[in-house]
C-alpha cells in the first residue's frame, strides 16, 4: 500500500472554528446547535452513550443495521473523513466513495477493459461492512495517522455499542453503515488489497464490495478471483458464493445495475419493472408537490445514470409514461380535494419536470394538465373518464411517432442531408424538411426514389433505420446492431435441433393462435354474432392441440386449421362471405392492405432482431430456407393480429375506403395504411414488461428472446389482451 502519512495533530484537526463551520453546513435544528457548541467548547468528543441504530430489509430477506449518529458525531466524523480523504492515495481501480470517482466512471472502465479482455469473474464480499475486523483496520490506521489520539477516537467510534430492544449490544467487529466515516474506512481497509492485485498483474474494477476481474480466458478470470479470495481470507473477509460467477462478454453479465451484452448496455427488464412499481408505490400517499419533488429526485438520478449507457431509449420512454400516469392522477386528486384551484398553480408546481420532455414536446406539461382535466370532467362514470384519458395519451404517442418518421411515396423523390436536416425533394422542389435529431425511421415506399450517400452515412451514425418497400414487399433495409455474438448464434442453431427448440416453436404457435382468438373475441363482444361465437368455440377447442402436439408437423397442422377459422371469422366481421387470405400477387384491396401492413411490421421486427444480435436465418418454428430470414417470419406472427389485422379492421369499420389504381393500392390508400399502422404501433398495450407502446414491446420482446437463449430460461411470447 502506498501509505500517505497524516501528520496533523488532534488539536490541528479539530479547531473550534472548523467544527463550528461544519456545524453550519449540516443546517441543524436550533436546539442541537447549543448542545453541540457546548460539547465542542468543553472538548467533549465522545458520546458517552450507546449509538442509536435501526434496521432496513435487504433483498435476500435479512436486515441491515444502520447507524443514526448524533449531530456532534456527524461533525467530528465529517472533519476526519475530509482530512484523511485528502491525503490518502487510493488505487485507481477503486471507484466508490471517492471524489472524482463514480458508478458512471466504473462502468466506463469496465467497458474499456472488455475491449481487451472478454472474460470476467463477478464477485461480491459477503456482509462487507459488518465483517471488517477492528484490529486489522486499526493496524492500518496506525501506519497512516501519526497522532495516536486521532486513532483512539476512530477506535472509539468502531467499538461504540448500540441498543437493541433496550439491551446493550457490543460492537466487536464491523463498521456502522450510516456513519459519515464508514465509507472512507472501508476503502482504507481494501486499499492494500487493490494494490496487491495490481502488483500481480490482475485487471479489476471495484465499487465498494462489488467487483469484476478480467481475463483473456475463463481460466485467467477465475484465477484472478481466486487470488483475490485468498487475500481477503487473510483479512477476515469472504466472497458471497450466491453472487459470484464467471461469464463472457457475449453471454452477458450485470454490474452496478447495468446489463452488459457484447457492446450493448441496457437495464434488465425485470429490474426496470420493479423500479417502476416502487416509484408508483412511493407516490401513492404523497401530494402533487411532494410527488413532483420525489419524482424529480428519482428520475433525474435514474436518467443521469442509465441514460449515459443505454443504447435504446425505449426503456427510458417507459419511465416517462409512468411519470405521466402518476402526475395526471396527482393533479386529479389535488383538484378534487381543492388544494389547487388553477392551471397556473399546477404549471408552477410541475415546472421542475420540464427537463423530461423531448425537444419536440413543447406543450408536454399542458398535455398532462389537459389529460387530468379531461379525467376530472368525465369522472362519472369513472370508466368513461379513464377511456378519455387513455385516448388522449394514445393520440399524444401517435403524434410522436408520426413526427419522428419520414414516409416517402412519391416516385422520383430524392432524399438528402444538409445543415442538420433531412430534406425530401420532388421534381427539384423541397417538399419536406426534418431536423435529423428528431428522426428515428425513414420509410421509402417505392423503388424509384433515391438518396444521397451522405444521408446514408448520417443515418448509420445516428442509428436511424431506413425501410425499403415496393408493392407491399420489404426488399431491403438499413439498420444497425449493438453486437453480433457467435455464442448467441451457436445457441440458436443448437436450439433448432433440440427439444428446447421445439418448445420455442410451440410458443410461437401458441402466441399467434392466442392473439387470433383474442382479437375475434374482442370484436364479438358487442356484435354477439352467433357465427363468430361458433368460430371462437371451434378455435378454442383446436387451441388445446397446441399443448399436446409432439412435433412441428403436428403444430403446423393445428396452426393451419386455427388460421382457416380465423380468416373466415375475419371475413364475417367485414361482411365478406368466403373471404380467402392471399399473400403474393393479391388482387383485392383488403389483402393488399394486409400485405402492406405486414411489410411495415416485418421490417420493424427484423431491425429489432438485428439490434439484439440474433441470427435471422436460424428460426424457431419455420423451416430453414436459403437466403430467407425465417426468424423474422417466426417473430412477426405474434404481432400481426394486434398491430395490422386489428388496424385494418378498424380502418374499414370507421368507413374509410381503400381504393386501387391500375390493380394496385392507390397512393392515398397507402398513406392511410401507413398512418394507421404508425398509430397502432404507438398505442400502449399491457405486457409482461409493463404497459408500453407496441413499438417498445417489440424491442423488449426481442431482447427477452435473446436473454432466454443466453440464460437458458423459458421464453414467453407476447399475448395481447383487450
Amino acid at each position: 500500500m502506498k501509505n500517505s502519512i497524516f501528520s496533523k495533530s488532534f488539536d490541528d484537526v479539530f479547531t473550534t472554528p472548523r467544527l463550528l463551520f461544519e456545524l453550519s453546513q449540516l443546517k441543524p435544528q436550533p436546539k442541537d446547535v447549543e448542545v453541540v457548541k457546548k460539547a465542542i467548547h468543553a472538548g467533549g468528543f465522545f458520546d458517552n452513550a450507546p449509538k442509536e441504530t435501526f434496521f432496513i430489509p435487504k433483498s435476500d430477506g435479512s436486515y441491515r443495521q444502520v447507524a443514526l449518529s448524533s449531530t456532534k458525531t456527524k461533525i467530528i466524523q465529517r472533519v476526519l473523513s475530509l482530512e484523511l480523504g485528502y491525503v490518502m492515495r487510493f488505487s485507481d481501480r477503486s471507484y466508490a466513495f471517492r471524489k472524482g470517482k463514480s458508478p458512471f466512471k466504473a462502468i466506463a472502465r469496465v467497458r474499456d477493459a472488455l475491449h481487451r479482455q472478454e472474460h470476467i469473474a463477478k464477485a461480491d464480499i459477503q456482509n462487507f461492512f459488518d465483517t471488517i475486523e477492528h484490529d486489522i483496520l486499526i493496524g492500518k490506521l496506525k501506519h497512516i495517522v501519526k497522532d495516536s489520539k486521532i486513532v483512539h477516537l476512530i477506535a472509539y467510534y468502531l467499538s461504540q455499542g448500540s441498543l437493541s430492544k433496550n439491551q446493550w449490544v457490543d460492537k466487536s467487529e464491523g463498521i456502522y453503515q450510516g456513519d459519515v466515516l464508514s465509507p472512507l474506512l472501508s476503502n482504507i481497509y481494501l486499499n492494500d488489497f487493490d494494490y496487491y492485485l495490481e502488483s500481480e498483474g490482475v485487471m479489476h474494477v471495484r465499487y465498494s464490495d462489488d467487483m469484476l476481474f478480467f481475463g483473456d480466458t475463463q481460466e485467467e478470470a477465475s484465477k484472478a478471483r481466486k487470488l483475490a479470495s485468498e487475500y481477503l481470507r487473510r483479512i477476515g473477509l469472504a466472497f458471497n458464493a450466491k453472487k459470484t460467477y464467471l461469464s463472457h462478454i457475449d453471454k452477458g453479465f450485470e454490474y452496478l445495475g447495468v446489463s452488459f451484452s457484447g457492446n450493448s448496455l441496457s437495464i434488465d427488464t425485470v429490474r426496470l419493472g420493479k423500479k417502476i412499481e416502487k416509484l408508483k408505490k412511493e407516490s401513492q400517499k404523497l401530494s402533487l408537490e411532494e410527488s413532483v419533488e420525489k419524482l424529480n429526485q428519482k428520475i433525474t438520478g435514474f436518467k443521469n445514470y442509465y441514460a449515459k449507457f443505454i443504447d435504446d431509449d425505449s426503456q427510458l420512454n417507459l419511465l416517462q409514461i409512468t411519470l405521466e400516469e402518476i402526475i395526471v392522477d396527482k393533479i386529479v386528486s389535488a383538484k378534487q380535494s381543492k388544494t389547487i384551484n388553477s392551471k397556473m398553480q399546477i404549471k408552477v408546481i410541475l415546472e421542475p419536470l420540464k427537463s423530461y420532455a423531448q425537444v419536440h414536446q413543447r406543450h408536454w406539461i399542458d398535455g398532462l394538465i389537459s389529460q387530468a382535466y379531461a379525467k376530472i370532467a368525465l369522472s362519472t362514470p369513472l370508466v368513461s373518464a379513464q377511456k378519455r384519458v387513455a385516448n388522449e395519451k394514445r393520440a399524444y404517442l401517435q403524434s410522436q411517432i408520426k413526427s419522428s418518421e419520414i414516409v416517402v411515396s412519391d416516385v422520383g423523390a430524392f432524399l438528402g442531408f444538409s445543415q442538420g436536416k433531412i430534406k425530401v425533394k420532388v421534381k427539384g422542389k423541397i417538399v419536406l424538411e426534418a431536423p435529423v435529431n428528431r428522426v428515428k425511421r425513414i420509410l421509402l415506399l417505392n423503388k424509384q426514389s433515391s438518396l444521397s450517400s451522405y444521408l446514408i452515412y448520417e443515418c448509420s451514425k445516428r442509428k436511424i433505420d431506413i425501410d425499403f418497400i415496393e408493392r407491399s414487399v420489404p426488399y431491403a433495409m438499413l439498420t444497425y446492431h449493438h453486437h453480433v455474438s457467435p455464442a448467441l448464434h451457436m445457441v440458436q442453431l443448437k436450439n433448432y435441433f433440440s427439444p428446447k427448440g421445439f418448445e420455442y416453436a410451440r410458443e410461437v404457435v401458441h402466441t399467434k393462435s392466442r392473439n387470433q382468438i383474442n382479437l375475434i373475441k374482442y370484436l364479438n363482444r358487442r356484435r354477439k354474432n352467433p357465427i363468430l361465437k361458433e368460430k371462437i368455440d371451434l378455435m378454442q377447442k383446436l387451441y388445446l392441440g397446441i399443448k399436446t402436439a409432439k412435433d412441428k408437423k403436428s403444430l403446423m397442422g393445428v396452426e393451419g386449421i386455427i388460421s382457416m377459422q380465423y380468416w373466415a371469422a375475419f371475413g364475417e366481421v367485414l361482411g365478406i362471405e368466403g373471404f380467402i387470405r392471399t399473400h403474393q400477387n393479391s388482387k383485392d384491396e383488403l389483402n393488399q392492405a394486409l400485405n402492406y401492413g405486414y411489410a411495415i411490421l416485418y421490417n420493424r421486427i427484423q431491425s429489432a432482431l438485428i439490434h439484439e444480435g440474433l441470427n435471422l436465418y436460424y428460426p424457431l418454428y419455420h423451416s430453414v430456407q436459403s437466403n430467407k430470414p425465417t426468424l423474422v417470419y417466426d417473430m412477426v406472427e405474434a404481432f400481426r393480429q394486434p398491430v395490422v389485422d386489428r388496424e385494418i379492421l378498424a380502418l374499414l369499420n370507421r368507413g374509410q375506403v381503400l381504393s386501387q389504381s391500375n390493380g394496385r393500392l392507390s397512393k392515398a390508400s397507402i398513406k392511410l395504411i401507413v398512418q394507421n399502422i404508425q398509430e397502432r404501433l404507438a398505442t400502449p398495450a399491457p405486457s409482461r414488461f409493463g404497459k408500453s407502446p407496441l413499438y417498445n414491446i417489440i424491442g423488449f420482446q426481442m431482447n427477452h428472446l435473446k436473454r432466454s437463449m443466453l440464460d437458458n430460461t423459458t421464453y414467453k411470447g407476447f399475448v395481447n389482451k383487450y
Side-chain angles (χ1 to χ4, degrees), residues 120-187:
I120 67 100
K122 172 80 162 57
D124 184 282
I125 298 175
Q126 187 162 5
N127 298 325
F128 174 42
F129 275 61
D130 296 332
T131 55
I132 288 175
E133 294 193 6
H134 291 179
D135 288 345
I136 295 175
L137 178 56
I138 293 299
K140 292 177 182 293
L141 289 170
K142 284 180 178 178
H143 286 88
I144 298 168
V145 181
K146 191 174 182 179
D147 191 331
S148 60
K149 193 175 178 181
I150 295 176
V151 177
H152 175 68
L153 180 61
I154 296 174
Y156 166 74
Y157 288 131
L158 293 177
S159 305
Q160 189 177 7
S162 62
L163 284 180
S164 177
K165 297 179 181 179
N166 293 322
Q167 296 294 315
W168 181 285
V169 179
D170 289 327
K171 188 72 169 174
S172 57
E173 68 173 352
I175 56 179
Y176 285 109
Q177 296 191 54
D179 266 358
V180 177
L181 192 57
S182 292
L184 176 70
L185 295 178
S186 73
N187 273 339

Side-chain angles (χ1 to χ4, degrees), residues 549-604:
K550 302 297 183 184
D551 51 40
K552 286 186 181 179
K553 186 177 180 181
S554 302
L555 274 178
M556 288 179 179
V558 176
E559 182 222 356
I561 299 172
I562 292 175
S563 289
M564 285 176 59
Q565 298 302 319
Y566 170 75
W567 288 116
F570 189 91
E572 178 67 23
V573 171
L574 294 172
I576 303 174
E577 188 175 348
F579 173 71
I580 298 174
R581 174 77 185 104
T582 59
H583 303 278
Q584 295 182 346
N585 302 316
S586 300
K587 304 298 182 184
D588 62 291
E589 297 95 327
L590 178 54
N591 272 302
Q592 288 178 355
L594 287 168
N595 291 340
Y596 228 106
Y598 294 151
I600 297 168
L601 178 62
Y602 176 98
N603 270 12
R604 287 183 183 269

Side-chain angles (χ1 to χ4, degrees), residues 179-341:
D179 266 358
V180 177
L181 192 57
S182 292
L184 176 70
L185 295 178
S186 73
N187 273 339
I188 289 174
Y189 200 76
L190 288 181
N191 203 27
D192 280 340
F193 166 78
D194 290 325
Y195 279 120
Y196 167 73
L197 292 179
E198 284 187 55
S199 69
E200 293 293 323
V202 172
M203 175 57 207
H204 77 290
V205 172
R206 180 176 69 81
Y207 192 89
S208 187
D209 59 341
D210 199 354
M211 53 194 89
L212 289 175
F213 305 97
F214 301 83
D216 293 324
T217 63
Q218 181 174 305
E219 291 73 19
E220 191 175 311
S222 179
K223 183 180 177 182
R225 182 184 63 189
K226 184 179 179 183
L227 199 67
S229 179
E230 289 171 351
Y231 186 98
L232 291 176
R233 196 177 298 117
R234 295 197 291 271
I235 57 173
L237 301 175
F239 286 136
N240 185 339
K242 292 181 180 179
K243 296 183 178 181
T244 301
Y245 59 85
L246 298 169
S247 190
H248 183 268
I249 185 173
D250 288 339
K251 185 176 180 182
F253 60 92
E254 205 171 282
Y255 188 61
L256 301 182
V258 175
S259 292
F260 289 76
S261 181
N263 294 325
S264 174
L265 275 69
S266 63
I267 315 168
D268 180 76
T269 49
V270 175
R271 186 188 189 98
L272 179 63
K274 287 181 179 179
K275 284 185 176 291
I276 287 173
E277 287 306 313
K278 185 178 179 182
L279 198 60
K280 289 180 178 178
K281 189 174 181 180
E282 289 178 346
S283 302
Q284 283 178 353
K285 296 182 180 180
L286 301 179
S287 66
L288 176 61
E289 295 93 330
E290 291 168 335
S291 294
V292 168
E293 184 179 358
K294 178 71 117 177
L295 292 169
N296 208 22
Q297 293 169 357
K298 293 279 185 181
I299 301 183
T300 298
F302 192 88
K303 292 187 77 171
N304 285 347
Y305 183 51
Y306 286 109
K308 294 176 180 178
F309 308 111
I310 308 309
D311 300 311
D312 188 345
D313 63 358
S314 60
Q315 294 180 315
L316 297 175
N317 288 342
L318 185 58
L319 263 183
Q320 180 155 325
I321 290 171
T322 303
L323 165 74
E324 292 168 1
E325 290 176 348
I326 293 172
I327 292 301
V328 167
D329 286 342
K330 291 300 176 182
I331 294 173
V332 171
S333 178
K335 282 290 293 177
Q336 290 176 338
S337 63
K338 297 183 179 180
T339 55
I340 290 177
N341 299 315

Side-chain angles (χ1 to χ4, degrees), residues 469-528:
I469 300 172
E470 167 67 15
R471 293 196 180 191
S472 75
V473 178
Y475 64 91
M477 74 181 308
L478 174 70
T479 188
Y480 63 93
H481 55 72
H482 298 308
H483 179 70
V484 175
S485 166
L488 174 59
H489 293 182
M490 291 299 291
V491 173
Q492 283 185 258
L493 186 59
K494 180 182 176 182
N495 282 341
Y496 183 74
F497 295 104
S498 71
K500 184 173 177 62
F502 178 65
E503 293 308 315
Y504 277 104
R506 193 196 303 276
E507 187 64 14
V508 169
V509 176
H510 152 69
T511 50
K512 174 185 178 180
S513 301
R514 191 72 260 168
N515 283 332
Q516 288 176 328
I517 294 168
N518 286 356
L519 178 57
I520 301 303
K521 286 174 70 175
Y522 167 74
L523 295 168
N524 201 39
R525 280 181 189 172
R526 293 184 180 179
R527 289 178 172 82
K528 307 296 183 183

